[in-house]
Amino acid sequence: MTATVATTGQQSETQAFEHQTRGRWLDKWEPDNTEFWESGGKKTARKNLIFSVFAENLGFSIWVIWGTVVTSMGLAGFDFLAGLGKGNPTAVSNALLLTSTPTLVGAALRIPYTFAIPKFGGRAFTAFSAAMLLIPTIGLAYFVNQPETPMWVFMVLAALAGVGGGNFSSSMANISFFFPEGKKGAALGINAAGGNLGVAQTQLVLPLLITLGTHIMAKDAAGYRFGITLSVLVWIPFILVATFGALRYMDSIGTAKSDGKSYKLALTNRHTWIMSFLYIGTFGSFIGFSFAFPTLIKANFPDLAKIGWITTLGNLAFLGALVGSFSRPFGGWVSDKVGGAKMTVFVFGGMSVAVALIMAALEMKSFPLYLAAFLVLFILTGIGNGSTYRMIPSIFSAEAKKYASEHGMDISEATASARRQAGAAIGVIGAIGASGGYVLQQALRLSNINFGSMTPAFWAYAGAFLVMAGVTWFFYLRSSFATGRISSLAYANV
């Protein structure tokens, strides 16, 4: 079946696309062609998006699993985490070391995972990346039942859990190939939000399952080990479903190719590094505090253990990741209206105030204020994730248009190059931003070791957020170039 499509006075034949449920290699993929999209391309893209969100959600779930598990391991008989609920400095330091390790590994894997899609295909690599989640889960389920297991073994397992963080980049890169330019923004937003929600669901489900396990067995070390085992093994069936679903139903696009030239250009562009710095403050804070939040609550408010229902719900730590995930699309939407740079300045200023409120809550020993201030901080990180991501394509587009007008280049060619560079820059920025989660947790840990308190680290965060607000203003709001060409631009989908 063929369809004739008019293109600027000429006639060309375009092969209509037939949607299939079973996965396959797609030798031809033209989502920007209306006939191709409507004849079956749309259904195929949505099918792949569904399985991509499912697999990525599990990746985030396993990535963040250590943030919750460490809060119960001391009670399960592991001496290096004993006394965490009483604020033992050594236990707190070890807990933060275990929770920050997956963050670092996940950040490091983001760049190679981005290049894996063009090389191996979205179908095969999604199945592979999902299956890899079995290693840290089965490993943890086994070694948590060996009370003499040294901490270094759990460090290795925590590092292996970092593969879940790399899934984000491969998933986003894959989905970006499936959708037309005008629909990529929404598709990538759904994909990202689906992954981020994995953090919240893990922090909600794991404490419930650990509590269930201790009730089934007993509230002793063996009971806690059983509860942790239960909370880890529950993910195995879902991982198997995600792996099978990707192999059977997802597709690979044969024409999806990596653009090495665009990566080189993006790496030499100063805005890639400026935005990486800003993304450390937004996404780095989101993922870093998400991993550390259960430990921070347990260490700072040990009396919550006396309130059964709060302890069962993980001391409500899941609320942070939940509100941060849902506020991300809002940040992008508002940035479309008022400008990403303006929104980002507001976010960093608000984050600094939120940190001051957290310090006040600790001084007053008020858990309600502490929780409320952290929730405000998480909401702002989510909004900031959306606003900074929206800034990236507009910055590259503005620079390309300015360069084209000054050098007599074709504007459409310059715009196409800008889109490719922005896509490459997003991969780099995402990886560096995620590494900020590791830096944040290590700052907390080192502050606790050297000063006997995390207060210096928190005040350092407040100062850093103000610096980031100043950097945003200086580069993207202060100059006539920024005001005229960047902050007021409509944000294109890249």
Side-chain angles (χ1 to χ4, degrees):
M1 177 180 177
T2 60
T4 302
V5 181
T7 55
T8 60
Q10 295 180 337
Q11 299 291 322
S12 63
E13 285 194 345
T14 300
Q15 184 72 35
F17 181 76
E18 183 179 349
H19 169 72
Q20 291 184 17
T21 303
R22 288 290 299 270
R24 53 183 166 154
W25 273 98
L26 303 173
D27 296 324
K28 188 172 186 179
W29 185 254
E30 300 177 348
D32 288 297
N33 182 289
T34 303
E35 174 68 20
F36 183 94
W37 182 252
E38 293 298 333
S39 66
K42 176 166 61 177
K43 287 184 179 180
T44 297
R46 288 177 177 175
K47 176 192 69 173
N48 281 274
L49 177 61
I50 291 170
F51 285 99
S52 175
V53 167
F54 184 51
E56 189 200 347
N57 177 275
L58 289 172
F60 267 80
S61 296
I62 303 307
W63 192 26
V64 79
I65 203 168
W66 280 91
T68 300
V69 165
V70 294
T71 63
S72 298
M73 285 180 66
L75 297 170
F78 296 95
D79 292 339
F80 54 85
L81 289 172
L84 179 62
K86 297 179 180 179
N88 183 322
T90 301
V92 172
S93 174
N94 289 337
L96 290 171
L97 192 58
L98 284 167
T99 60
S100 62
T101 298
T103 315
L104 181 64
V105 175
L109 287 176
R110 284 192 165 197
I111 292 179
Y113 268 47
T114 300
F115 285 102
I117 294 300
K119 186 171 182 63
F120 302 106
R123 176 187 181 189
F125 197 76
T126 302
F128 166 78
S129 61
M132 283 289 291
L133 301 174
L134 293 170
I135 299 174
T137 48
I138 294 175
L140 176 55
Y142 174 78
F143 283 105
V144 82
N145 287 288
Q146 314 301 317
E148 302 304 317
T149 301
M151 183 175 166
W152 71 265
V153 174
F154 290 113
M155 283 286 293
V156 172
L157 291 171
L160 289 170
V163 299
N167 287 11
F168 176 83
S169 285
S170 60
S171 180
M172 294 289 275
N174 186 42
I175 292 304
S176 71
F177 289 119
F178 276 97
F179 284 83
E181 290 297 330
K183 299 182 185 296
K184 280 186 181 180
L188 293 174
I190 292 170
N191 204 50
N196 289 351
L197 282 172
V199 179
Q201 73 188 26
T202 296
Q203 292 181 341
L204 172 62
V205 171
L206 258 66
L208 291 171
L209 292 173
I210 292 171
T211 300
L212 175 63
T214 58
H215 281 301
I216 292 174
M217 298 289 287
K219 277 202 169 184
D220 56 13
Y224 276 98
R225 288 197 294 272
F226 177 77
I228 293 172
T229 304
L230 179 65
S231 71
V232 173
L233 291 181
V234 73
W235 303 106
I236 301 297
F238 295 102
I239 294 171
L240 293 174
V241 169
T243 303
F244 174 79
L247 280 174
R248 185 174 178 84
Y249 298 110
M250 288 189 73
D251 305 292
S252 294
I253 299 175
T255 55
K257 302 296 181 183
S258 60
D259 190 348
K261 181 180 178 181
S262 293
Y263 268 91
K264 291 178 182 178
L265 290 172
L267 289 173
T268 58
N269 192 310
R270 66 173 182 167
H271 293 291
T272 298
W273 304 106
I274 295 169
M275 292 306 301
S276 294
F277 175 65
L278 299 181
Y279 204 54
I280 286 173
T282 56
F283 184 74
S285 295
F286 170 78
I287 203 67
F289 280 124
S290 292
F291 276 66
F293 201 26
T295 296
L296 294 177
I297 292 176
K298 187 161 188 176
N300 290 315
F301 295 93
D303 289 342
L304 291 178
K306 299 174 183 177
I307 306 174
W309 70 270
I310 290 184
T311 302
T312 300
L313 292 176
N315 294 333
L316 307 179
F318 73 94
L319 291 174
L322 184 68
V323 297
S325 299
F326 279 113
S327 64
R328 180 169 185 155
F330 176 74
W333 179 79
V334 174
S335 296
D336 280 339
K337 308 298 180 183
V338 303
K342 291 180 181 178
M343 200 66 208
T344 302
V345 169
F346 166 79
V347 162
F348 282 130
M351 288 171 67
S352 185
V353 172
V355 170
L357 289 175
I358 291 169
M359 292 294 93
L362 287 174
E363 188 69 26
M364 298 164 57
K365 300 188 185 304
S366 170
F367 176 68
L369 178 59
Y370 185 80
L371 179 63
F374 251 115
L375 292 183
V376 170
L377 181 63
F378 274 109
I379 289 171
L380 289 170
T381 62
I383 294 174
N385 288 338
S387 65
T388 49
Y389 245 58
R390 287 298 193 182
M391 287 172 66
I392 297 166
S394 72
I395 292 168
F396 280 88
S397 177
E399 282 208 314
K401 289 177 180 178
K402 183 173 183 289
Y403 185 86
S405 64
E406 291 175 350
H407 294 79
M409 284 180 60
D410 178 65
I411 192 68
S412 61
E413 181 183 339
T415 301
S417 175
R419 285 174 176 167
R420 291 192 297 270
Q421 288 184 57
I426 283 174
V428 176
I429 292 166
I432 295 175
S435 70
Y438 174 80
V439 174
L440 183 148
Q441 293 176 79
Q442 286 301 302
L444 287 172
R445 175 176 164 274
L446 293 173
S447 177
N448 191 61
I449 291 173
N450 296 310
F451 301 103
S453 168
M454 298 182 197
T455 299
F458 273 103
W459 284 121
Y461 300 150
F465 295 148
L466 290 177
V467 169
M468 290 172 179
V471 168
T472 307
W473 172 82
F474 184 86
F475 285 102
Y476 305 120
L477 287 177
R478 176 186 65 91
S479 68
S480 59
F481 169 77
T483 303
R485 292 183 175 269
I486 293 178
S487 62
S488 62
L489 280 176
Y491 289 83
N493 293 313
V494 177

